[in-house]
């Protein structure tokens, strides 16, 4: 075989070994050979005898390979490991390769090549070899070059073979046991993971059921409350309308009576003593002025009551189960009228200014009652945020901004100054954007990611249930296939952006979730 020049052994000193013969068999301890005394052996024979005894005791078989001639010496122990007699294996390298398992031969050649090239310090490999009985034995082969020529190429290589079949069998058995144990552990782990996963799924399902139950109760409460408000609004509307309708003629009658009294005073300046006494007690001048003011105040109050009733009726519209085209601005105005008692100035804080920037919107096909509930939830949260800031900053001027606009469908949540044009010929699609913002303290980033989660709230116990924004998101995303997004910067305020289609989509499309 062709052996390339080694990379690491050129600098080693050449060993003085006889090239004409390997470890001669005649010098080994054979069966039946007479024992030699220590005095009858020369130093070389003593070393060889000691080596043979050491190899015999360790169970190692010796081989000596001439890499130039390819002749190989295998001692009797090497052959007996495989069950062969002395003359049953020829002393050449091909005899070795013929006994090696075909699957191991390429690996052995590669390891030998790497060693002779200086890539590894010693030649060592585990391999399977064929025994005389036809079985395969595991052998540990070790070797090393001990002679080079004048050009630094390897000439002689020697080494040992050791039977490691029992160790290998034990290792294989241990490996199989380990694999079996590992499989059982994996199966058990898989079973535990499945149980854990099912347990988690059950917990999630339970939480979803609880949430659904609470939401159904909340929806039922809202539906009952809406119906109650609508009924109460109708009940209040009738007497208020009667009062409001009669205040104008009552004011006219009062003016006529006051005019008659003034005429009597002009033409009869000296009334009877009894009348004069009553006029003095009555303070007729004050009554004439204040009575008319009182009537006009009653008229203004009844107008305010009519506005609130109208807002309540608009907010709690009874046809929530059906979609219809409505003016969103009327819904926003209705909610603002209902919340007027929280927006106006109070004894312990300033009034909250509402700045409206309503764009030109078409009638939007939607569930109006649900949208009014969304507006109510967002505006209530904005008022709460402003009141919280006013507690710590008395010079703060609270403001709520409401902006509406129409944009092209492809400009999702992007400002646009283009006016709305209902162009049926081009078939262009538009979306409506509603922005409700405040100049409160703002929301921290990690809280922004949770504000739409059910039952999450930053309000004190008893003030908030954490359902307002969760229900609002469901109404916008689930029912209207729209989008609801929160933008907030700490110290500058919070903005809730609603995006909706101007026309409703099919029911199957309405079930899809919108995402940012």
């Amino acid at each position: 075989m062709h052996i390339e020049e080694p990379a690491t052994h050129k600098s080693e000193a050449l060993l003085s070994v006889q090239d004409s013969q390997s470890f001669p068999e005649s010098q080994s301890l054979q069966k039946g050979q007479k024992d030699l005394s220590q005095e009858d052996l020369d130093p070389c024979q003593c070393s060889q005898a000691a080596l043979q005894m050491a190899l015999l005791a360790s169970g190692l078989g010796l081989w000596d390979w001439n890499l130039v001639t390819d002749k190989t010496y295998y001692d009797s122990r090497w052959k007996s490991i495989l069950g062969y007699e002395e003359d049953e294996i020829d002393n050449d390298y091909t005899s070795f390769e013929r006994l090696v398992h075909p699957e191991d031969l390429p690996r052995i050649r590669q390891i030998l090549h790497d060693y002779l090239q200086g890539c590894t310090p010693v030649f060592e490999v585990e391999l399977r070899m064929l025994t005389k009985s036809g079985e395969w034995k595991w052998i540990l082969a070790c070797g090393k070059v001990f002679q080079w020529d004048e050009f630094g190429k390897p000439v002689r290589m020697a080494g040992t073979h050791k039977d490691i079949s029992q160790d290998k069998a034990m290792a294989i058995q241990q490996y199989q046991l380990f694999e079996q144990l590992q499989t059982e552990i994996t199966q058990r782990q898989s079973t535990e993971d499945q149980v854990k996963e099912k347990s988690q799924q059950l917990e999630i399902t339970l939480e979803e059921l609880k949430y659904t139950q609470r939401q159904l109760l909340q929806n039922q409460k809202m539906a009952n409350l809406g119906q109650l408000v609508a009924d109460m609004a109708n009940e209040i509307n009738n007497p208020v309308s009667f009062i409001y309708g009669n205040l104008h003629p009552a004011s006219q009658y009062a003016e006529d009576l006051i005019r008659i009294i003034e005429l009597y005073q002009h033409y009869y300046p000296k009334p009877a003593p009894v009348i004069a006494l009553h006029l003095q007690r009555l303070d007729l001048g004050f009554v004439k002025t204040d009575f008319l003011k009182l009537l006009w105040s009653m008229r203004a109050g009844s107008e305010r009551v009519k506005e609130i009733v109208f807002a309540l009726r608009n907010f709690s519209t009874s046809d929530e189960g059906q979609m219809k085209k409505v003016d969103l601005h009327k819904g926003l105005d209705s909610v603002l009228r209902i919340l007027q008692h929280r927006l106006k100035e109070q004894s312990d804080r300033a009034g909250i200014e509402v700045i409206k920037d309503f764009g030109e919107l078409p009638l939007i096909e939607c569930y109006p009652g649900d949208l009014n509930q969304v507006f109510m939830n967002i505006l209530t949260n904005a008022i709460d945020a402003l009141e919280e800031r006013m507690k710590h900053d008395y010079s703060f001027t609270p403001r709520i901004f409401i902006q509406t606009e129409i944009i092209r469908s492809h400009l999702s949540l992007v400002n646009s100054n283009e006016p709305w044009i209902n162009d049926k010929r081009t078939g262009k699609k538009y979306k409506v954007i509603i922005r409700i913002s405040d100049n409160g303290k703002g929301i921290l980033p990690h809280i922004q990611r949770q504000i739409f989660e059910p039952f999450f709230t930053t309000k004190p116990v008893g003030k908030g249930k954490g359902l307002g924004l969760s229900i609002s998101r469901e109404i916008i995303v689930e029912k209207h296939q729209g989008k609801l997004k929160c933008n907030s910067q700490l110290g500058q305020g919070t903005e809730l952006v609603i995006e909706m289609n101007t026309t409703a989509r099919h029911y199957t499309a309405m079930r899809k979730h919108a995402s940012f």
Side-chain angles (χ1 to χ4, degrees):
M1 62 184 289
H2 175 68
I3 304 299
E4 297 181 5
E5 184 176 353
T8 60
H9 302 302
K10 289 184 178 181
S11 60
E12 296 187 21
L14 299 178
L15 298 177
S16 178
V17 180
Q18 296 179 354
D19 296 337
S20 58
Q21 68 178 33
S22 299
F23 295 96
E25 189 67 25
S26 59
Q27 294 179 359
S28 64
L29 295 178
Q30 309 228 7
K31 222 187 246 186
Q33 185 179 10
K34 65 178 181 178
D35 295 337
L36 298 176
S37 65
Q38 187 68 23
E39 289 80 3
D40 296 333
L41 297 176
D42 57 24
C44 181
Q45 290 176 332
C46 289
S47 298
Q48 291 177 355
L51 178 60
Q52 290 294 331
M53 291 296 294
L55 292 174
L56 185 61
S58 61
L60 297 175
L62 185 66
W63 54 270
D64 186 349
W65 181 21
N66 190 317
L67 281 74
V68 178
T69 64
D70 225 20
K71 292 294 182 181
T72 307
Y73 165 72
Y74 306 105
D75 72 349
S76 58
R77 178 59 182 167
W78 189 97
K79 297 175 182 179
S80 65
I81 289 175
L82 302 176
Y84 294 98
E85 298 296 334
E86 183 68 27
D87 56 350
E88 290 180 329
I89 297 180
D90 297 333
N91 289 327
D92 53 47
Y93 182 76
T94 56
S95 299
F96 164 74
E97 289 198 341
R98 281 196 298 267
L99 297 174
V100 175
H101 196 287
E103 295 179 0
D104 298 340
L105 193 56
R107 179 168 53 86
I108 296 170
R109 290 174 177 172
Q110 182 62 45
I111 294 175
L112 178 62
H113 176 270
D114 293 342
Y115 168 67
L116 295 176
Q117 290 295 316
C119 300
T120 55
V122 67
F123 170 72
E124 182 175 301
V125 62
E126 292 182 358
L127 64 148
R128 288 166 291 179
M129 296 190 71
L130 186 63
T131 64
K132 186 176 180 180
S133 61
E135 299 176 347
W136 293 100
K137 270 193 175 183
W138 278 98
I139 302 296
L140 174 63
C142 300
K144 194 169 185 179
V145 174
F146 66 89
Q147 184 178 2
W148 296 264
D149 62 12
E150 58 183 356
F151 301 105
K153 292 183 179 181
V155 174
R156 296 275 297 279
M157 184 175 178
T160 60
H161 273 200
K162 182 179 180 181
D163 183 4
I164 59 171
S165 298
Q166 292 183 353
D167 296 339
K168 200 70 175 180
M170 186 178 296
I172 293 174
Q173 184 180 5
Q174 291 178 349
Y175 178 76
Q176 291 175 346
L177 290 174
F178 174 77
E179 285 292 318
Q180 183 179 357
L181 181 60
Q182 191 71 21
T183 303
E184 293 178 358
I185 293 175
T186 303
Q187 291 176 350
R188 182 175 298 177
Q189 184 67 35
S190 177
T191 304
E192 291 177 356
D193 292 341
Q194 291 177 357
V195 172
K196 185 177 180 180
E197 183 179 358
K198 289 182 179 179
S199 177
Q200 291 177 348
Q201 290 177 352
L202 288 174
E203 290 180 1
I204 294 173
T205 304
L206 181 60
E207 288 298 323
E208 290 178 351
L209 289 174
K210 289 181 179 178
Y211 170 66
T212 303
Q213 184 181 17
R214 293 190 186 102
Q215 194 172 20
L216 288 173
L217 291 173
Q218 179 72 12
N219 292 339
Q220 186 64 34
K221 288 180 181 178
M222 291 300 297
N224 294 337
L225 180 60
Q227 186 61 45
L228 178 63
V229 170
D231 295 339
M232 292 298 297
N234 289 328
E235 291 294 328
I236 295 172
N237 186 58
N238 293 329
V240 168
S241 297
F242 173 78
I243 295 172
Y244 178 79
N246 288 300
L247 279 175
H248 181 72
S251 300
Q252 188 65 45
Y253 298 155
E255 289 179 1
D256 292 341
L257 292 174
I258 291 172
R259 178 61 179 162
I260 291 174
I261 293 174
E262 289 176 347
L263 288 173
Y264 268 98
Q265 286 178 329
H266 178 73
Y267 290 104
Y268 299 98
K270 294 182 179 180
V274 176
I275 296 175
L277 179 61
H278 277 282
L279 288 177
Q280 185 177 2
R281 293 176 179 177
L282 181 62
D283 193 359
L284 184 60
F286 172 78
V287 170
K288 288 191 298 182
T289 305
D290 193 60
F291 184 46
L292 291 177
K293 289 181 179 181
L294 179 64
L295 289 174
W296 285 108
S297 297
M298 293 172 63
R299 185 174 181 179
S302 63
E303 287 180 351
R304 171 64 181 152
V305 173
K306 283 181 66 66
E307 289 179 358
I308 294 175
V309 170
F310 175 78
L312 289 173
R313 293 176 66 181
N314 188 32
F315 177 79
S316 58
T317 177
S318 59
D319 54 351
E320 294 182 28
Q322 297 179 354
M323 276 193 152
K324 67 177 186 178
K325 291 187 176 181
V326 296
D327 184 355
L328 294 184
H329 292 159
K330 289 184 178 179
L332 286 166
D333 287 334
S334 298
V335 174
L336 289 174
R337 288 192 190 100
I338 295 173
L339 294 175
Q340 188 63 37
H341 68 287
R342 296 197 62 189
L343 295 172
K344 66 181 181 181
E345 182 178 357
Q346 298 179 14
S347 58
D348 58 342
R349 66 165 179 80
I352 299 175
E353 181 182 3
V354 178
I355 302 173
K356 297 186 292 186
D357 182 13
F358 288 171
E360 183 184 355
L361 299 184
L363 296 179
I364 306 301
E365 191 172 4
C366 62
Y367 296 95
D370 290 336
L371 278 186
N372 289 338
Q373 184 180 350
V374 173
F375 299 152
M376 176 71 76
N377 292 335
I378 295 176
L379 286 169
T380 301
N381 285 339
I383 294 172
D384 291 341
L386 293 174
E387 288 180 341
E388 185 66 24
R389 182 168 181 177
M390 282 188 283
K391 291 180 181 178
H392 304 89
D393 187 359
Y394 297 102
S395 62
F396 169 64
T397 303
R399 292 187 179 93
I400 292 177
F401 305 88
I402 305 176
Q403 180 187 18
T404 61
E405 60 179 335
I406 199 82
I407 63 172
R408 294 281 182 86
S409 290
H410 66 281
L411 299 175
S412 177
L413 292 177
V414 177
N415 289 324
S416 174
N417 296 322
E418 181 180 356
W420 174 76
I421 302 175
N422 187 7
D423 193 347
K424 295 182 179 179
R425 293 174 301 175
T426 58
K428 293 179 180 177
K429 295 182 180 180
Y430 295 88
K431 293 184 178 181
V432 61
I433 303 297
I434 305 168
R435 303 175 186 271
I436 302 176
S437 59
D438 62 73
N439 60 342
K441 295 190 299 183
I443 305 174
L444 292 170
H446 71 279
I447 297 179
Q448 289 185 46
R449 294 190 289 268
Q450 305 178 66
I451 61 173
F452 295 113
E453 295 179 3
F455 309 108
F456 176 81
T457 180
T458 57
K459 298 176 183 179
V461 177
K463 192 171 183 180
K465 302 296 184 182
L467 286 172
L469 290 180
S470 174
I471 293 175
S472 300
R473 186 179 187 278
E474 182 180 358
I475 291 172
I476 298 299
V477 176
E478 294 282 349
K479 277 197 166 184
H480 295 84
Q481 201 185 1
K483 299 176 182 179
L484 179 60
K485 183 178 181 182
C486 174
N487 300 317
S488 181
Q489 291 186 359
L490 201 61
Q492 297 187 17
T494 303
E495 177 188 59
L496 272 297
V497 184
I498 301 171
E499 176 186 307
M500 289 174 47
N501 297 297
T502 56
T503 56
R505 299 185 181 181
H506 296 292
Y507 180 77
T508 55
M510 295 290 290
R511 297 300 300 165
K512 295 180 181 178
H513 288 264
S515 60
F516 287 89

